[in-house]
């Protein structure tokens, strides 16, 4: 009797993402607002909120500071 296989293939190994957090543009009020919200989330240990702020800042930087 052969050994039963529970997975169709070997597991997928995903790389660890260590992207740097986006930097706000000096003098931009919108960047500053997101950065302050990010800092509050970090101080309160809200990792999910911090990631949300990073996404919002990246989108803002991409859209308004190209």
């Amino acid at each position: 009797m052969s050994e039963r296989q529970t997975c169709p293939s070997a597991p997928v190994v995903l790389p660890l993402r260590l992207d740097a957090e986006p930097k706000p543009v000096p003098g931009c009020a919108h960047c500053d607002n997101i950065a302050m919200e990010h800092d509050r989330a970090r101080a309160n240990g809200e990792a999910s909120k911090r990631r949300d702020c990073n996404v919002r800042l990246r989108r803002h930087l991409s859209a308004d500071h190209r």
Side-chain angles (χ1 to χ4, degrees):
M1 180 186 259
S2 66
E3 187 176 327
R4 183 174 175 174
Q5 187 173 357
T6 58
C7 296
S9 61
V12 175
V13 178
L14 299 175
L16 178 62
R17 285 188 60 181
L18 296 175
D19 297 341
E21 292 183 341
K23 303 290 183 211
V25 173
C28 175
H30 192 69
C31 284
D32 288 342
N33 288 336
I34 297 171
M36 286 189 308
E37 189 175 346
H38 179 273
D39 291 344
R40 277 193 304 273
R42 179 187 301 234
N44 293 323
E46 299 175 272
S48 178
K49 181 74 166 180
R50 223 173 85 209
R51 285 188 297 271
D52 290 345
C53 289
N54 286 341
V55 169
R56 287 177 37 223
L57 185 54
R58 281 190 182 98
R59 287 180 181 165
H60 168 68
L61 292 171
S62 166
D64 296 333
H65 295 293
R66 283 198 163 215

